[in-house]
């Protein structure tokens, strides 16, 4: 049987994925989330003409020439508007953000004045409109300022707050349940017995899922018993998880029980073998409405599969349009042999070079080695049957975030 390509596998993973329903999220919980509906301004900003500087609000006809003396009749602070219009020959002390009094149409900055009691001398003439932020300069009530499908940034949250929205309509966060399988696994901080190893995959998968906007329920380590594996799957379903990720046990060995457990629960299998290295024994299916990803037990394979398949799935459910990590160009830092039938994702360093960034794969690419993965700056992508590559030639990479 031919191995499924990465592109075809991703298409199957996303085939039945649609953005989750909307919910109203407080602004403090909306960073990075995607708007389910457009957002209109509930107010005009600024709501009136306001001063952009500290100084004096005056009539431009009174200061067309200078120097000139004006009578100070009061003070305007931000949030405390002046009570009456200015008359000819009058000025009002005003501070940044203060509402420009009726009759005034320009601001004289305080550096251009001298004040003695109720008399202010204006040293320089000023034209109409100077240092005034006019009503609606930023936006007007009813304007659509944030569109459906937009992923909210810190700047957007400031805008939404200024628009007077305490809550924003965003797609609900998907819930990801996950567990690791294997009698050999023990939690971090445990002294492993002979033949045991410390479980690490679920920590990377959980962090990746949270970064992409999901809620995570870690169901722990499940031993190599079919009943225990079935029970863990049922717990994920009871949590109403949109996605279940299992680590290890998805192949066909005597102790690989994940696929058997899913089959016993009625899973519709989509695929379980890919033309991918690392990550060939990736499994995907559906248990009712729940998406299922069985990633390999080797830590590098688990992480790469999470990056290539879990992250796009979460992004799709949260309403994002940028589903896959961007592929960029780099210069190959070392010779590489001809590739075989699987797409290869090589852990590589990235350094500046005269012709662009230089990607150099680690010499040993074993999928059990977490050290090189942590040190890597990117994945260097080699297509199936790609010919031998020479140092200095162009290559494709996916950068890791730092």
């Amino acid at each position: 049987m031919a191995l499924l390509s990465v592109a075809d596998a991703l298409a199957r993973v996303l085939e039945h994925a649609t953005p989750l329903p909307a919910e109203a999220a407080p602004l403090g919980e909306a960073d990075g989330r995607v708007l389910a509906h457009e957002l209109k301004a509930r107010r005009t900003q600024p709501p009136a003409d306001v001063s952009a500087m500290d100084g004096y609000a005056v009539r431009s006809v009174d200061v067309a020439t200078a120097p000139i003396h004006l009578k100070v009749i009061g003070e305007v602070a931000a949030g405390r508007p002046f009570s009456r219009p200015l008359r000819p020959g009058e000025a009002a002390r005003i501070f940044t953000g203060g509402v420009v009094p009726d009759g005034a149409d320009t601001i004289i900055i305080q550096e251009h004045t001298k004040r003695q009691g109720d008399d202010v001398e204006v040293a320089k003439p000023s034209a109409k409109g100077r240092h005034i932020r006019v009503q609606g300069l930023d936006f007007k009530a009813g304007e659509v300022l944030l569109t459906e499908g937009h992923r909210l940034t810190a700047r957007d949250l400031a805008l939404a707050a200024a628009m007077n929205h305490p809550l924003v309509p965003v797609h609900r966060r998907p819930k990801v349940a996950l567990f690791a399988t294997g009698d050999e696994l023990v939690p971090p901080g445990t002294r492993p017995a002979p033949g045991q190893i410390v479980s690490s995959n679920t920590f990377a998968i959980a962090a990746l899922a949270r970064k992409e906007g999901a809620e995570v329920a870690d169901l722990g380590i499940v031993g190599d018993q079919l009943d225990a594996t079935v029970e863990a799957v049922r717990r994920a379903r009871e949590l109403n998880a949109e996605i279940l990720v299992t680590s290890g046990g998805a192949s066909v060995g005597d102790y690989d029980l994940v696929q058997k457990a899913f089959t016993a629960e009625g899973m519709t299998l989509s695929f379980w073998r890919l033309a991918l290295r690392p990550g060939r024994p990736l499994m995907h299916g559906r248990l009712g409405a729940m998406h299922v990803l069985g990633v390999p037990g080797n830590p590098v394979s688990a992480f790469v599969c999470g990056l290539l398949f879990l992250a796009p799935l979460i992004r799709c459910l949260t309403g994002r349009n940028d589903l896959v990590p961007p592929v960029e160009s780099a210069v190959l830092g070392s010779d590489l042999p001809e590739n075989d039938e699987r797409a290869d994702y090589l852990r590589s360093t990235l350094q500046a070079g005269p012709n662009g960034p230089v990607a150099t794969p680690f010499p040993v690419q074993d999928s059990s080695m977490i050290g090189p993965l942590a040190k890597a700056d990117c994945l260097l992508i080699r297509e199936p049957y790609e010919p031998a590559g020479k140092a200095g030639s162009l290559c494709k990479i996916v950068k890791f975030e730092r």
Side-chain angles (χ1 to χ4, degrees):
M1 180 185 296
L3 297 175
L4 193 66
S5 71
V6 172
D8 288 343
L10 181 59
R12 293 192 189 184
V13 169
L14 299 177
E15 182 179 5
H16 299 289
T18 56
L20 295 175
E23 65 180 10
L27 288 179
E29 300 174 10
D31 183 34
R33 299 180 70 175
V34 178
L35 281 175
H37 309 292
E38 66 182 22
L39 216 58
K40 294 181 180 180
R42 290 178 168 175
R43 59 184 295 274
T44 295
Q45 173 80 352
D49 292 355
V50 297
S51 177
M53 302 288 283
D54 292 341
Y56 291 86
V58 301
R59 294 164 13 108
S60 59
V61 295
D62 288 340
V63 293
T65 60
I68 190 170
H69 290 261
L70 302 173
K71 181 182 179 181
V72 180
I73 61 167
E75 181 178 285
V76 183
R80 297 203 298 271
F82 197 56
S83 59
R84 74 165 177 84
L86 257 65
R87 301 187 181 104
E90 294 180 340
R93 179 74 166 112
I94 196 167
F95 299 94
T96 302
V99 175
V100 178
D102 289 342
D105 59 7
T106 191
I107 305 298
I108 304 296
I109 61 174
Q110 63 187 27
E111 291 86 349
H112 294 168
T113 64
K114 290 181 180 179
R115 173 86 177 265
Q116 284 190 339
D118 291 340
D119 179 84
V120 61
E121 180 184 357
V122 177
K124 293 185 178 182
S126 180
K128 182 178 179 179
R130 288 284 290 165
H131 306 302
I132 291 178
R133 295 173 179 148
V134 298
Q135 182 183 40
L137 175 66
D138 197 353
F139 53 81
K140 295 179 174 62
E143 281 190 77
V144 176
L145 301 178
L146 294 168
T147 57
E148 179 181 347
H150 181 71
R151 189 181 183 215
L152 295 169
T153 66
R155 292 168 288 129
D156 299 323
L157 297 180
L159 177 57
M163 293 160 67
N164 205 22
H165 287 278
L167 305 171
V168 286
V170 293
H171 291 287
R172 184 169 59 80
R173 295 182 186 274
K175 181 176 289 186
V176 175
L178 55 89
F179 63 85
T181 66
D183 287 340
E184 76 278 14
L185 299 179
V186 294
T190 304
R191 177 173 293 180
Q196 292 183 323
I197 58 173
V198 176
S199 180
S200 61
N201 293 358
T202 52
F203 295 96
I205 295 296
L208 178 64
R210 290 189 184 101
K211 174 182 167 295
E212 295 298 344
E215 299 176 357
V216 175
D218 189 348
L219 304 181
I221 297 171
V222 177
D224 290 322
Q225 299 89 36
L226 182 59
D227 289 347
T229 309
V230 168
E231 176 58 29
V233 174
R234 289 176 179 173
R235 276 189 288 157
R237 301 185 77 174
E238 290 168 359
L239 291 171
N240 295 316
E242 278 77 30
I243 306 171
L244 171 59
V245 182
T246 64
S247 170
S251 191
V252 293
D254 291 343
Y255 294 97
D256 292 323
L257 303 175
V258 169
Q259 191 172 151
K260 295 176 182 177
F262 284 132
T263 301
E265 288 296 291
M267 182 188 74
T268 302
L269 180 66
S270 173
F271 63 81
W272 70 273
R273 295 178 73 219
L274 300 186
L276 171 65
R277 182 174 41 246
R280 180 170 67 175
L282 174 71
M283 181 186 65
H284 171 257
R286 299 254 298 171
L287 264 175
M290 185 168 68
H291 302 263
V292 175
L293 283 173
V295 303
N298 279 321
V300 179
S301 303
F303 180 81
V304 170
C305 287
L307 187 69
L308 297 183
F309 300 101
L310 176 61
L313 177 56
I314 293 173
R315 290 185 176 195
C316 184
L317 295 178
T318 57
R320 289 178 62 173
N321 296 316
D322 55 332
L323 301 186
V324 297
V327 176
E328 303 178 39
S329 294
V331 176
L332 189 58
S334 61
D335 293 345
L336 289 175
E338 179 182 359
N339 199 20
D340 60 16
E341 77 277 8
R342 289 193 280 169
D344 220 343
Y345 287 74
L346 305 174
R347 281 70 70 203
S348 305
T349 59
L350 203 58
Q351 294 181 324
N355 299 315
V358 178
T360 305
F362 287 100
V364 181
Q365 291 283 326
D366 192 285
S367 61
S368 69
M369 297 174 64
I370 308 175
L373 177 64
K375 295 176 182 177
D377 302 304
C378 65
L379 292 173
L380 191 157
I381 306 170
R382 305 203 72 221
E383 299 296 339
Y385 303 108
E386 188 170 326
K390 291 291 185 182
S393 61
L394 290 178
C395 61
K396 298 184 296 182
I397 62 169
V398 172
K399 287 182 182 178
F400 291 145
E401 292 188 3
R402 287 294 182 185

